[in-house]
Structure formats: structure tokens, C-alpha cells
Amino acid sequence: MIFDPLKLVRKNIRDLKPYSSARDEFSGNGSVFLDANESPFNSPYNRYPDPYQKELKAGIAELFEKGPEQIFLGNGSDEAIDLLFRVFCEPGKDNILSIAPSYGMYKVCADINNIEYRKVLLNEDFSLNAEALLKAADPHSKLLFLCSPNNPSGNLLGYNDVVQVLKGFEGLVILDEAYIDFSGSHGFLPELEDYPNLVILRTFSKAWAMAAIRLGMAFASPEIIRLLTNVKYPYNLNYLTQSFALEKITEIRAKEKNVNKIIQQRRFVTDKLKNMSIVEKLYPSDANFILAQFHQARNLYNYLIKKGVIVRDRSNVELCEGCLRLTIGTGQENKLLLEMLQKWALIKS
Ligand SMILES: *Cc1c(COP(=O)(O)O)cnc(C)c1O
């Protein structure tokens, strides 16, 4: 089967003539720029940033061992998620598939774009039910979202299950690997070329510790990347983000050190939680957070807020009844959380 993303694209997008900026219409070496109505003062901030993010893309391409033509850079991976809807899904007509529970943005984007959202429950242990997922598809199913390691459950999805979905689904499979650095797995990036319907999302918000600068990545075939690029805002990544990221991607050792610290702390917190009577169930994590089920989760959540410790209440999410999601912080922060949990346990005993 030859996969052609152009067959999935909305007709208006297939026919779109993208915006052409002042800098697009000129090539060569200028020194006097009077083409974009910029101010001549306050260099370098007076100039529009590179709409193609050439320098940053080259750096990221080298880092991830992919070609720049396989990379889309966005204002967070959330921008890539929204663009995938706007490029591929016909409002009021198409639908998308997703696992449940999972990251909330998929549904929000579906709702904003008036696209039917079909969710298929994970198994009780949060593993993927590939067959059930594929069964929910019809000819209007354009996108299928997987998240691995999954938020909020924290587990890496099974390799064979993901492959089954990639081979069985006729639309695009979006594999969100926001937390992959904490998992010990390479994820699917090394196999990107084997699956023309695969889009992998990565982000600088988690392991790279740069959520503030809003920088996300989508890796896919050059055809898919071109479509996303045609629809994005021309200057979707500002100059500060581009220049800061370009500097930080050279500091990969620092990033790895921080990831190792978090993995070590995840083990520490897990061991402590295991011995607490208030913890009903503890889910193994491949991410930088732990999902745990507590007695009276909502009350505990409110108690922690009063103590200044904010965790995520997932107690009303499917398959997560009574669960709180605990992000791994610094050693000191985690100790404080554990102390508060001990105090709560004493009050409750
Ligand atoms: C945090 C997170 C992201 C990151 O989104 P950005 O827009 O890049 O900050 C993506 N996917 C999942 C599942 C997440 O939890």
C-alpha cells in the first residue's frame, strides 16, 4: 500500500497558496533591508525572525539524526497538534481516534475544530488495545493519537501494539513522545522512515526543562512537514525562542544529568509511596510523574493545596478513579510532598 498524505488533506489546504513574506521574495545577501516595514532601531529585535527557522532546524536535525525536511517546529507541540487538525480534518465530517485516558489537548483541538472525537479505553493496566482502536476507525478517521509514555498513566505503550496500529490504520498516527527521555526507550524516531503515516511529537517542555520558551517538534515525512509548514503562522517561533534554543541544544550533557536526577528521584518517591497505607495503588512510571490511587483523593488534594503543594487531581478521569498525578520535582520538593502525605496519613489513621 502506497501512503499518500495528500489524499487525506482537506481540499482547501491542498489548493492553498501559502503567505509569502517580504523575506521570502528576496534571496541573496542584502545589507539594507527596506522591504518589511521594520524599524531600523533596536537590533537584533527589530527584525522579523526566520520563518523557516533554518539555523535552529539544522541544529535539531543534527541532534536527532534526521533531515531538516523531516522536522516541523512549533509554538509547543500543541501547535503541531492543532495544525494536524486544520490540515487534515474536515469540520463536521471527519473524525479522529484516541486512547483514553490520555492528554487533554487532543480532545480540545478536536472540539475547537468541530471534529468528532472517538476515544477507546486502554486496558485496566493502561496497555494498548490495538484491535479495539482499529475497529473504531472508518473512512473518515483521519488521525489517531497515541501517547507514549502516556499522560496521565505514565506507561510506555507496547512496541508491538504501536506497530500493529501503525500498520493497520489508514490515516495518520500521531505518536506523542513528550516523555520519552524518562523511559529508557529510543521511541519510534529511529524507525520514522519505515512508516509514512507516522508523525512523532517531541517537546522542549519536559526533559529539556524549557516549557517557558514554547518549543515543540513534529517529525514526519517531508510531504507531511511541508503541509504543516504551509499552514502555520509565518513567524510562529519568535527570535528569543529560536536563539535561546539554539544555544541550549548544545548543552545536552546538562539535560541528561537532569533527566537522570529525575529518574533517580522517581525511584525514591516510588519506594516511599509503596510503604504508605494511604496509597491504594501505584502505577509504574516511564515518565517524570507518578500516578497513584489514594483513599479520599479529592480531600487529600485539597489538603495538599492548603500546605502549598500542588499536584494534579485525576480522580474523575476514566480508569484513574481516586488517582492523583504527582510530578517529580527536586529532591527537596519531593521530600516535602512525602512529609505532607505522612502527615495526612497520621490525621486519617
Ligand atoms: C506536556 C505535554 C506535551 C508538551 O506540550 P508543549 O506544547 O510542547 O509544551 C505534549 N504532549 C503531552 C502528552 C504532554 O503531557
Side-chain angles (χ1 to χ4, degrees), residues 75-79 81 102-103 106 147 149-151 176 178-179 201-206 211 214-217 289 325:
N75 187 326
S77 27
D78 288 348
E79 183 184 359
I81 295 169
S102 198
Y103 186 41
Y106 313 142
C147 184
N150 187 40
N151 180 3
D176 188 339
Y179 300 99
L201 302 180
R202 295 283 189 98
T203 181
F204 282 91
S205 299
K206 307 289 158 64
R214 309 306 301 132
L215 179 57
M217 300 165 276
F289 56 84
R325 193 192 68 189

Side-chain angles (χ1 to χ4, degrees), residues 277-288:
S277 58
I278 53 165
V279 178
E280 303 225 285
K281 205 164 184 182
L282 198 56
Y283 292 95
S285 171
D286 300 302
N288 66 338

Side-chain angles (χ1 to χ4, degrees), residues 224-244:
I224 295 172
I225 297 302
R226 211 171 301 130
L227 287 162
L228 298 177
T229 305
N230 286 347
V231 176
K232 80 177 179 75
Y233 288 148
Y235 308 110
N236 63 325
L237 287 194
N238 69 67
Y239 172 83
L240 295 171
T241 293
Q242 291 190 50
S243 52
F244 188 78

Side-chain angles (χ1 to χ4, degrees), residues 263-276:
I263 291 173
Q264 203 181 338
Q265 280 294 313
R266 182 179 72 198
R267 202 172 303 131
F268 172 75
V269 175
T270 301
D271 288 345
K272 295 285 182 200
L273 290 175
K274 261 185 199 155
N275 296 320
M276 283 187 188

